[in-house]
Each structure stands twice: as C-alpha cells, then as structure tokens.
C-alpha cells in the first residue's frame, strides 16, 4: 500500500527522534516536507536512495512550537 505513496508532508507535528529512513526507500516518493517538527539528529543516508524524489523540504527540524526543550 505504501509503495504507491508519492507525497508525504510531516510538517507541524510532535513526532520525535530521527527522521525515519524508510521514507526515502518508498519506490515512488516524489515530495517530502518535514518542517516545524520535533525530529532531531542526522538525515538518514537512505535519502540517497530516493531517486524519484524531486522535492525535499527540511526546515525547522526540532523547532516546532510545541517541542519540549531539554
């Protein structure tokens, strides 16, 4: 079912931890937006496998207004 996913917007959320590498392994993914979120850490190396992706927007990781500040 996820093999058909082309657009993923995880912006403005309270998801924590690292950006899931599985996102970039989706065979038809074209657009990924992760802005104003609570994700942190490095961008997974699997981003290099996303050969169909034309847009990757990563702005404001760990800066969501409701993210807890340690």
């Amino acid at each position: 079912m996820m093999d058909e996913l082309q657009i993923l917007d995880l912006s403005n959320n309270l998801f924590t931890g690292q950006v899931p590498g599985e996102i970039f392994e989706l065979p038809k993914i074209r657009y990924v937006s992760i802005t104003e979120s609570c994700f942190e850490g490095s961008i997974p190396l699997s981003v290099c496998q996303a050969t169909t992706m034309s847009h990757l927007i990563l702005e404001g990781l760990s800066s969501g207004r409701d993210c807890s500040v340690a």
Side-chain angles (χ1 to χ4, degrees), residues 15-50:
F15 296 145
T16 59
Q18 292 190 336
V19 173
E22 294 82 4
I23 291 171
F24 306 108
E25 296 171 4
L26 296 168
K28 295 185 179 180
I29 197 71
R30 293 183 306 117
Y31 177 98
V32 177
S33 178
I34 306 173
T35 63
E36 300 294 323
S37 70
C38 298
F39 285 117
E40 58 189 15
S42 303
I43 303 304
L45 291 176
S46 59
V47 71
C48 298
Q49 296 175 3

